[in-house]
């Protein structure tokens, strides 16, 4: 291995460490606790090393969001692949989405609440974000209904899931009714 290859590998490993540490700190204490000073202390590198990878917290949030989008897409695809029948698949998709949001609140915030400097719903949207939407669309396109544009239906269904996730987490909706909300959403929106 050449010196340049080794340096590139070490740089990539430092970047993974920064992102993993930021994510861990955010999940434990919230995003306000994630500062370059605290990250530098935790990973035992100087702040200038952090800045050589990310220009600041915004870019770190963006990196966590991209990682989270990949994980969310995988979770939704795994859930739908294991489901038999259209209704079961759509329900499994909704549950997987809500489970991901509940288990990973800081990642969910990085994806959908915080400014990570990432463009959404544009040509230059990063692939992990496009793929997370595609994971929704793959299942929901088959239940959009005649004459309904599948992408638009997917946006509406996603917005409903996001509302359920966000309002439940902030205790504006009682969590014990989440399953009933999922059933109602599937029954009323999806053409089965």
């Amino acid at each position: 291995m050449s010196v340049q290859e080794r340096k590139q590998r070490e740089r990539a490993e430092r970047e993974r460490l920064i992102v993993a540490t930021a994510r861990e700190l955010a999940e434990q204490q919230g995003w306000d606790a994630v500062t370059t000073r605290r990250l530098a202390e935790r990973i035992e590198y100087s702040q200038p090393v952090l800045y050589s990878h990310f220009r600041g917290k915004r870019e770190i949030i963006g990196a966590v969001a991209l990682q989270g989008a990949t994980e969310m897409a995988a979770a939704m695809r795994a859930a739908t692949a294991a489901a038999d029948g259209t209704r079961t698949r759509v329900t499994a998709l909704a549950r997987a989405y809500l489970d991901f949001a509940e288990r990973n609140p800081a990642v969910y915030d990085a994806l959908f609440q915080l400014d990570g400097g990432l463009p959404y719903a544009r040509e230059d949207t990063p692939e992990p974000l496009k793929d997370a939407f595609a994971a929704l669309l793959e299942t929901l396109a088959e239940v959009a209904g005649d004459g309904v544009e599948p992408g638009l239906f997917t946006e509406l269904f996603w917005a409903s899931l996001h509302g359920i996730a966000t309002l439940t987490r902030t205790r504006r909706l009682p969590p014990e009714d989440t399953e009933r909300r999922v059933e109602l959403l599937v029954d009323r929106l999806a053409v089965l």
Side-chain angles (χ1 to χ4, degrees):
M1 171 182 307
S2 74
V3 172
Q4 183 177 359
E5 289 172 328
R6 181 182 53 78
K7 285 183 179 186
Q8 287 174 339
R9 189 182 75 232
E10 288 171 354
R11 180 174 175 74
E13 186 54 41
R14 265 193 320 273
E15 193 165 300
R16 278 190 293 278
L17 179 62
I18 294 166
V19 171
T21 304
R23 181 176 174 167
E24 178 183 313
L25 187 57
E27 291 292 0
Q28 291 170 353
Q29 299 176 30
W31 279 104
D32 286 342
V34 179
T35 64
T36 54
R37 177 174 293 164
R38 289 185 86 186
L39 284 174
E41 288 171 4
R42 283 209 174 188
I43 65 172
E44 298 178 343
Y45 282 101
S46 67
Q47 284 182 310
V49 170
L50 287 174
Y51 286 117
S52 74
H53 290 273
F54 300 99
R55 286 181 284 193
K57 182 176 176 177
R58 183 178 186 220
E59 284 188 4
I60 294 169
I61 291 169
V64 170
L66 293 176
Q67 185 182 74
T70 299
E71 293 170 10
M72 178 182 262
M76 290 187 295
R77 286 189 175 109
T80 58
D84 247 352
T86 304
R87 185 181 203 298
T88 306
R89 221 173 6 267
V90 174
T91 302
L93 175 78
R95 286 181 183 140
Y97 182 98
L98 294 172
D99 287 347
F100 182 89
E102 183 180 0
R103 282 190 326 273
N104 305 283
V107 173
Y108 192 81
D109 285 350
L111 272 163
F112 302 120
Q113 301 290 104
L114 302 173
D115 179 9
L118 302 172
Y120 284 77
R122 297 187 347 205
E123 272 303 308
D124 60 340
T125 297
E127 283 307 313
L129 299 177
K130 288 179 181 179
D131 189 53
F133 185 79
L136 289 164
L137 182 64
E138 290 160 8
T139 295
L140 296 172
E142 62 185 282
V143 298
D146 293 336
V148 176
E149 199 275 306
L152 193 59
F153 177 78
T154 299
E155 290 171 353
L156 177 63
F157 201 93
W158 170 31
S160 298
L161 290 174
H162 176 69
I164 292 169
T166 303
L167 293 171
T168 301
R169 186 167 121 205
T170 58
R171 309 297 274 173
R172 267 84 172 167
L173 295 176
E176 61 272 11
D177 293 330
T178 298
E179 187 59 32
R180 290 179 40 214
R181 285 185 198 94
V182 168
E183 290 173 15
L184 188 59
L185 178 63
V186 172
D187 287 344
R188 298 291 189 242
L189 276 185
V191 177
L192 303 169

